[in-house]
Amino acid sequence: MSTSMLLAIVIAVVVVVVLITLALAFFRRRRALRERFGPEYERTVDDADSRLAAERELSTREKRHDKLDIKPLPDGLRERYTRDWDDVQHEFVDRPEDAVHDADRLVTSLMQARGYPTGSYDQQLKDLSVEHGGTLEHYRAAHEIDALSTGHKATTEQLRSAMVHYRSLFDELLLDGGQTPHATA
């Protein structure tokens, strides 16, 4: 076998190994994004021009999130938020629309206390998606009902549903560090 033939075989093998390595890295990254973002992965893919563009967007979200100072709540603050949530739930009986608005403000306040920026709703969704992709649909649904209730167009059942949705994200944000949220519903 000539040297040039041997060199061609070695180069071909190296190229194949590099391509296989790149493909494996690509598929591992895709799987990691799916696991980290949960249902938000597919939602982002559906909204993007391509799967690659969606994955770039999700990676950008991860990088931004890594720069945030997300922190657990001190016990005293956690207890205060728990009491505030209980107050909002009790308010629902007499003033359901006000309670939903207050639940929205309380969730936003909790996000801010944890270190999430609370500027625009769309940015909140992106920032939350990195660690809370599984409950993000709850937040979206609650937010939509809150917007309906601003125009007095939400039914009592929709308002109740919004409270349940807000509660899902609230509990997850309150959970931080493996501690359990309070058990009342």
Side-chain angles (χ1 to χ4, degrees), residues 106-139:
L106 187 60
V107 166
T108 301
S109 173
L110 179 54
M111 282 188 258
Q112 189 171 30
R114 291 283 317 277
Y116 287 98
T118 55
S120 79
Y121 171 71
D122 289 336
Q123 190 59 54
Q124 286 177 6
L125 290 174
K126 289 176 182 180
D127 291 339
L128 287 169
S129 71
V130 177
E131 288 187 4
H132 304 283
T135 55
L136 214 50
E137 277 308 308
H138 289 288
Y139 187 44

